[in-house]
Amino acid sequence: MATKGKPMTYSLSEMKDEFIGKTGTKKRDAYEHELSMEVLSYMIKKVRQERNLTQEQLGQLVGVQKAQISKLESSANSATIGTILKVFKALKAEISFHVKIENRKLQFG
């Protein structure tokens, strides 16, 4: 039933909490991990294209086959941190990781 007045609005965080699960739950952690891997895959592809490199050329720079670069660009889930670091180094792109422990933030890169 429609109500008069201002429509109800929800933040993205509230929607995630409602439909995926609260932060810290198994389902939410899996979702956040998958999203992070998708963003990473997208960034690798975007930087490769900006550098005007083919997947084969990037693979040669990294020392892997074109198929591995293709797989990495479609999903970084199976990639090791070492491979990801090699890819960004070959792309001459800086990458950094942030790890938050309690209220302290550690940085790598």
Side-chain angles (χ1 to χ4, degrees), residues 29 36 43 77 90:
D29 287 348
S36 296
M43 293 307 298
N77 275 331

Side-chain angles (χ1 to χ4, degrees), residues 9-67:
T9 59
Y10 298 94
S11 69
L12 178 57
S13 182
E14 289 170 328
M15 294 295 287
K16 287 181 192 179
D17 287 351
E18 178 71 24
F19 295 102
I20 299 167
K22 299 260 184 214
T23 301
T25 62
K26 210 177 225 188
K27 189 174 178 182
R28 178 70 172 267
D29 287 348
Y31 166 81
E32 296 293 345
H33 175 75
E34 183 68 27
L35 182 60
S36 296
M37 294 298 102
E38 290 298 322
V39 169
L40 185 59
S41 294
Y42 172 80
M43 293 307 298
I44 290 169
K45 183 176 183 177
K46 180 102 171 123
V47 174
R48 177 185 60 78
Q49 290 172 336
E50 285 180 7
R51 301 285 192 256
N52 294 313
L53 293 171
T54 65
Q55 290 178 338
E56 187 171 354
Q57 290 169 326
L58 179 56
Q60 289 171 350
L61 291 172
V62 176
V64 300
Q65 297 294 318
K66 174 190 175 210

